[in-house]
Amino acid sequence: MDNGMKSLRDTICSLLPDKNPTFIFKDLHVVETLQEFWEAKNKQGAVFKNGSLVVYESVPSPFAPYVCYVTLPGGSCFGNFQYCLTKAEARRDAARVALVNSVFNEQPSRLITMEFIRSSIEEAVASVGGSIHDAKDPTTSIGAYHYMLEANKGKTMLEFQELMTVFQLLHWNGNLKSLRERKCSRQDVISYYSKQSLDDCLRSQMALDWILKEKRISGIITQELQSSLKDLEKARETGCELRFYKEKKEILTLALSQVRSECGCIQMCE
């Protein structure tokens, strides 16, 4: 048996001893199986800020195809990528995608090790045409990436992706550029935001940034929201992890709601 497949089977047998590894991803009860998987991880010592509950969100629609998102206890998000004729089917498909990724994430190859860090830095250097010596300089982008990998050694790729989502949003929102202009060091920025939760407070702060942009460029929120919805749809259809795309949508929707609320208040006053 292939070592990779054996490792997957071992993971399933360890966390879900009552399930048959051969049929686990085809099971109609995949929603319950996904919940059992994360509860088993919790019992084995994994700690989650919001408990071990898997959260589902169905996108309102009067007709097919139906879309459903599932957010895992650690924060990673996935969605159904098949054309689903019912909401229940969309929920099962989203759960299946999340379960596949959850099980795969438990494999040794998904751990951030020294070997993984060396390989990742070499790939990053090759992609940007930099120097391997930049990895030792925290003022460079390669050095910052190396610093983040080193700080998360021993974590899984999903755990690392959850952290990276915060920095993806900060880059998209323009916050990282502002911090550079204020001469904040990369190490200080990484150290500070690595401890920040992606919560309602951070979303509200980013939404406020977009409200200020809207005052300078009318219509920019609507334009960015339309672009973000297309990106989210494209990523969902390919089975990608969706937290970054979904958070962009949430932040922009919040900002647009507040802008419209302010406009309504102004009209009432007039």
Side-chain angles (χ1 to χ4, degrees):
M1 183 183 292
D2 178 78
N3 288 337
M5 287 302 298
K6 183 178 185 303
S7 183
L8 284 172
R9 290 174 67 92
D10 289 344
T11 297
I12 294 168
C13 290
S14 172
L15 289 165
L16 299 167
D18 297 331
K19 302 293 181 180
N20 186 331
T22 305
F23 302 107
I24 189 171
F25 300 122
K26 301 176 183 178
D27 190 351
L28 288 176
H29 302 292
V30 66
V31 171
E32 292 82 355
T33 301
L34 179 63
Q35 183 60 56
E36 289 174 19
F37 178 92
W38 284 94
E39 287 177 358
K41 279 185 62 65
N42 193 27
K43 290 176 181 177
Q44 288 187 356
V47 179
F48 310 112
K49 293 179 181 178
N50 299 316
S52 58
L53 184 66
V54 175
V55 179
Y56 293 87
E57 177 190 344
S58 295
V59 177
S61 175
F63 46 77
Y66 293 100
V67 173
C68 182
Y69 298 106
V70 54
T71 301
L72 302 178
S76 297
C77 179
F78 298 93
N80 63 298
F81 67 89
Q82 295 190 32
Y83 189 103
C84 296
L85 297 175
T86 67
K87 293 180 180 179
E89 185 184 346
R91 185 183 177 96
R92 285 195 297 271
D93 192 48
R96 189 171 292 109
V97 174
L99 182 59
V100 169
N101 280 276
S102 297
V103 172
F104 185 63
N105 190 59
E106 296 297 310
Q107 305 313 296
S109 61
R110 301 293 289 173
L111 278 177
I112 297 177
T113 61
M114 286 305 300
E115 182 180 351
F116 176 86
I117 292 173
R118 282 194 295 271
S119 175
S120 297
I121 294 301
E122 287 173 359
E123 289 179 8
V125 169
S127 66
V128 299
S131 167
I132 195 67
H133 298 295
D134 290 341
K136 298 179 181 179
D137 183 358
T139 64
T140 66
S141 57
I142 296 293
Y145 182 50
H146 182 257
Y147 177 81
M148 289 187 70
L149 286 171
E150 285 277 4
N152 288 275
K153 191 162 53 180
K155 291 186 177 181
T156 66
M157 286 307 298
L158 272 187
E159 289 173 322
F160 184 62
Q161 179 59 47
E162 287 155 14
L163 170 65
M164 285 298 293
T165 298
V166 174
F167 290 95
Q168 285 178 289
L169 288 169
L170 291 170
H171 174 71
W172 162 73
N173 207 48
N175 297 101
L176 291 183
K177 181 180 179 182
S178 298
L179 290 168
R180 282 198 302 272
E181 291 172 349
R182 288 159 53 186
K183 307 300 182 184
C184 296
S185 72
R186 279 192 171 93
Q187 277 184 306
D188 287 342
V189 172
I190 292 171
S191 179
Y192 177 78
Y193 281 104
S194 293
K195 301 171 186 174
Q196 297 298 304
S197 299
L198 188 41
D199 54 16
D200 288 341
C201 181
L202 189 56
R203 292 186 193 97
S204 295
Q205 291 174 8
M206 292 189 177
L208 179 58
D209 291 332
W210 281 97
I211 291 171
L212 295 175
K213 291 177 185 178
E214 180 72 21
K215 291 180 179 179
R216 296 193 299 270
I217 308 172
S218 180
I220 191 172
I221 294 179
T222 299
Q223 180 181 338
E224 186 67 21
L225 180 57
Q226 290 173 347
S227 175
S228 295
L229 289 172
K230 290 179 182 177
D231 290 342
L232 175 59
E233 184 73 2
K234 188 182 298 183
R236 180 184 63 79
E237 291 176 347
T238 56
C240 293
E241 200 280 323
L242 304 173
R243 184 79 184 275
F244 170 59
Y245 305 102
K246 196 162 179 296
E247 289 292 347
K248 284 202 300 181
K249 186 197 79 168
E250 298 294 338
I251 290 165
L252 291 165
T253 301
L254 175 61
L256 187 60
S257 174
Q258 293 183 9
V259 167
R260 288 174 174 171
S261 177
E262 290 178 5
C263 289
C265 289
I266 292 173
Q267 290 175 355
M268 287 179 65
C269 290
E270 291 176 347

